[in-house]
Amino acid sequence: MVLLILTTVISILSVLVMPKRISWIEMYTTSLFVMFLGSVADVYLDVKYDLYGFFTKGVPKKKCFIITNGRRYTRFFCYAFLYIAMVVNLKMIRRLQIIDKQK
């Protein structure tokens, strides 16, 4: 537990000290977008495909390996899309800032 706390504190401090090439408004809007889109994706994957079934009684042993691997790949593919959407959103925010400054 101590290692977990220490790692978390060091990670947060390194992010705060690291020089950034992104403005605070870009960080704020991109973070909100990612939180919203990630929540929507998690709810969709849970309700539609039941991929986050923590409170179920379990999976039959025959299907356990297939379902576990399928869940991993569905989550890695979904999150890869989220990262791409995050970059596209950041580029759109920067374009909107340029348009706003020109007016």
Side-chain angles (χ1 to χ4, degrees), residues 62-73:
K62 293 178 185 178
K63 296 182 180 180
C64 185
F65 181 73
I66 296 169
I67 290 174
T68 303
N69 286 336
R71 286 182 183 178
R72 267 191 223 138
Y73 295 132

Side-chain angles (χ1 to χ4, degrees), residues 1-10:
M1 190 67 162
V2 174
L3 182 62
L4 175 67
I5 294 171
L6 186 65
T7 304
T8 304
V9 169
I10 290 172

Side-chain angles (χ1 to χ4, degrees), residues 5-20:
I5 294 171
L6 186 65
T7 304
T8 304
V9 169
I10 290 172
S11 297
I12 290 173
L13 288 175
S14 66
V15 166
L16 292 175
V17 174
M18 186 183 309
K20 295 163 187 65

Side-chain angles (χ1 to χ4, degrees), residues 35-66:
M35 285 189 292
F36 172 73
L37 196 61
S39 297
V40 168
D42 287 341
V43 167
Y44 182 76
L45 291 175
D46 182 30
V47 173
K48 179 78 173 173
Y49 296 109
D50 194 28
L51 294 179
Y52 298 116
F54 294 114
F55 301 109
T56 59
K57 292 188 177 184
V59 179
K61 290 183 180 182
K62 293 178 185 178
K63 296 182 180 180
C64 185
F65 181 73
I66 296 169

